[in-house]
Amino acid sequence: HVPTTSTEQLVCGREDTEDGTNGMLQRILEGFAQWDTQHFLYIAQCGYTHEQNHAFFPFLPGLLHLSIQITPASVHAWLGSQATAMLWGLVLCNSAFVGSAVFFYRLTKHVLANEQLVRCATLLYCFNPASIFCSAVYTESLYALFFFAGLFQLYVKDRWWLAAILFFHCTAIRSNGILCAGYFWYTVLIEVQPTQRSLSTRILSGATRVIACTMACFLPFLAFEAFGYHQQCVGVDPLPNWCASRIPLLYGYVQKTYWENGLLAFWQLKQIPNFILAGPILFFSFYISWRCISKRWRHFWRALLSFRNHEMTVKGWSATGLYGRISFCMTVHLAFLSGFCLLFMNVQVATRFLAASPPLYWFAAHMSQQSCRIRKIIWGYLYTYIALGSLLFTNAYPWT
């Protein structure tokens, strides 16, 4: 049996409370075991037993499963399987959030090079509107940790292979991790290459490196799809309809069938409250995307198309700074995620879906230091969403 509601807490067919004797602790932890958390806990203890489980990528459930396995039997018997998994999940996700804040600070320090802005942006990230999801057993903190660490290794340390490994984990956590491959393509096309080498040598070397890194970003997604196809289609009778598709993608089928995702599928009158919920983060995302892209798009195309005088062309566009080459790439990424969320997804997830986008906090920090009124509005928004999220999420009300 698969958990289908936020309050249903079943473990492989039996109530978890039958396992443990510490019912009070379980009731305390129950507030955090809502919505997607139930699916992660179920997969960690039961595996991918149903189609709809495949909407959730295996990294977090795998960590929970491993943590349960290394828990002493006496502790497991006292807590019960549900509480054991929850405690491990809370430790892992909150530790990951602390780590993500460290890498965010180090990345921001390199890009903005202004200690006051750096501290303000980091503080905004630590109190982001999706804070409840960063504290619960969700993928937000883990994804942010590997994503920020990957960006740091790529742009600060210039360690492509390490960035590829970290982005590999991003895709193992969430499907949108495959978009991290775009950072390698952008870097090899835009960033200044050593002038001592010939153009053909630079192209061959860059293409080899970027293709290898792209494969690293896509590999977890492809492997997860292959696993799903083998489990759900091979030797199964009757064969599910999606298995016979020209390109059988289980993840897309599950998202469309069980979560009703699709182009404008969520655009219904009854969903207006959810659009209002996502409104602030989407408006701000589109605003800063327009502001940055409209300011630098000419620089981007000149740098992209100037093969012979590449170094001279890029020289007039700094890598760092609020409108620099690094920030531009991240802003384009943010714009794409915002548009995709608005058109194809359950729009209310925008607040947490976009939480790992550095430009949100960089521009917010910049704007808050320019105007006291804007600063009050930004912090009022953050405090409101943190309070409402903590209250509604833990009581199983819609806040996803």
Side-chain angles (χ1 to χ4, degrees):
H1 180 70
V2 176
T4 55
T5 70
S6 61
T7 57
E8 190 175 12
Q9 299 186 17
L10 302 179
V11 179
C12 299
R14 73 177 189 276
E15 292 289 344
D16 184 53
T17 51
E18 295 177 1
D19 293 336
T21 57
N22 196 345
M24 181 177 292
L25 178 60
Q26 290 185 1
R27 286 192 292 272
I28 293 174
L29 295 174
E30 192 175 276
F32 289 95
Q34 309 293 350
W35 305 108
D36 289 1
T37 301
Q38 279 294 309
H39 292 275
F40 292 126
L41 295 175
Y42 178 88
I43 296 168
Q45 297 167 87
C46 311
Y48 287 90
T49 59
H50 292 72
E51 267 184 353
Q52 54 266 53
N53 296 145
H54 290 264
F56 304 93
F57 276 54
F59 189 81
L60 177 54
L63 282 182
L64 295 177
H65 178 77
L66 180 61
S67 300
I68 293 171
Q69 296 303 310
I70 65 175
T71 301
S74 57
V75 176
H76 191 279
W78 180 65
L79 291 175
S81 55
Q82 186 84 354
T84 302
M86 273 298 302
L87 281 175
W88 273 113
L90 290 172
V91 170
L92 289 169
C93 292
N94 283 275
S95 299
F97 181 74
V98 174
S100 72
V102 172
F103 277 106
F104 178 85
Y105 174 82
R106 297 176 70 181
L107 175 67
T108 303
K109 190 172 184 179
H110 173 77
V111 174
L112 299 185
N114 180 315
E115 187 61 29
Q116 189 175 6
L117 274 179
V118 171
R119 290 180 179 274
C120 182
T122 305
L123 194 62
L124 289 170
Y125 170 68
C126 290
F127 290 90
N128 72 75
S131 290
I132 183 60
F133 300 106
C134 297
S135 301
V137 185
Y138 266 61
T139 57
E140 271 59 40
S141 293
L142 285 167
Y143 179 85
L145 171 62
F146 286 102
F147 181 57
F148 295 156
L151 292 175
F152 176 79
Q153 294 299 332
L154 179 62
Y155 288 121
V156 181
K157 299 297 185 180
D158 195 29
R159 296 171 179 165
W160 280 54
W161 62 272
L162 187 52
I165 293 174
L166 292 164
F167 289 157
F168 170 94
H169 288 83
C170 286
T171 309
I173 295 169
R174 290 198 332 212
S175 62
N176 60 295
I178 62 176
L179 296 177
C180 294
Y183 286 98
F184 296 113
W185 288 92
Y186 176 85
T187 302
V188 79
L189 291 172
I190 297 298
E191 293 304 306
V192 177
Q193 303 298 322
T195 56
Q196 298 90 336
R197 304 165 68 184
S198 66
L199 178 62
S200 59
T201 302
R202 282 154 44 194
I203 291 175
L204 180 61
S205 174
T208 302
R209 187 163 57 163
V210 78
I211 290 173
C213 292
T214 299
M215 290 175 62
C217 294
F218 275 80
L219 184 58
F221 181 85
L222 297 175
F224 190 53
E225 283 294 325
F227 164 72
Y229 182 85
H230 183 271
Q231 184 191 57
Q232 299 293 326
C233 300
V234 177
V236 175
D237 188 29
L239 195 68
N241 292 334
W242 70 269
C243 295
S245 302
R246 180 174 297 180
I247 303 178
L249 290 177
L250 176 55
Y251 181 76
Y253 169 79
V254 168
Q255 288 289 349
K256 182 177 180 179
T257 304
Y258 295 95
W259 274 265
E260 300 179 346
N261 285 329
L263 180 59
L264 303 182
F266 208 68
W267 286 48
Q268 305 172 34
L269 288 176
K270 65 180 181 180
Q271 302 297 347
I272 288 178
N274 287 318
F275 278 90
I276 294 174
L277 178 66
I281 194 75
L282 287 175
F283 173 81
F284 189 64
S285 297
F286 287 127
Y287 170 71
I288 65 174
S289 298
W290 168 80
R291 185 169 167 177
C292 181
I293 294 172
S294 64
K295 189 179 182 69
R296 294 301 187 191
W297 71 272
R298 289 186 178 87
H299 293 77
F300 169 75
W301 285 111
R302 280 201 297 264
L304 185 65
L305 299 175
S306 58
F307 292 104
R308 295 189 178 276
N309 299 314
H310 187 72
E311 185 175 0
M312 292 300 297
T313 303
V314 175
K315 192 174 181 180
W317 184 19
S318 173
T320 58
L322 196 62
Y323 297 98
R325 299 194 302 271
I326 297 175
S327 179
F328 180 86
C329 183
M330 296 183 193
T331 305
V332 172
H333 185 197
L334 170 63
F336 178 84
L337 291 177
S338 302
F340 188 85
C341 184
L342 179 64
L343 298 176
F344 289 90
M345 298 173 59
N346 292 357
V347 73
Q348 73 270 22
V349 307
T351 303
R352 62 183 176 89
F353 185 64
L354 304 176
S357 300
L360 287 175
Y361 311 103
W362 296 344
F363 277 89
H366 175 72
M367 293 168 65
S368 67
Q369 294 202 349
Q370 288 186 324
S371 168
C372 181
R373 182 180 179 183
I374 292 178
R375 180 166 62 250
K376 291 179 179 179
I377 292 173
I378 290 174
W379 280 104
Y381 162 69
L382 296 180
Y383 288 143
T384 300
Y385 270 58
I386 291 172
L388 286 177
S390 301
L391 179 64
L392 296 176
F393 177 85
T394 54
N395 288 281
Y397 287 102
W399 190 269
T400 60

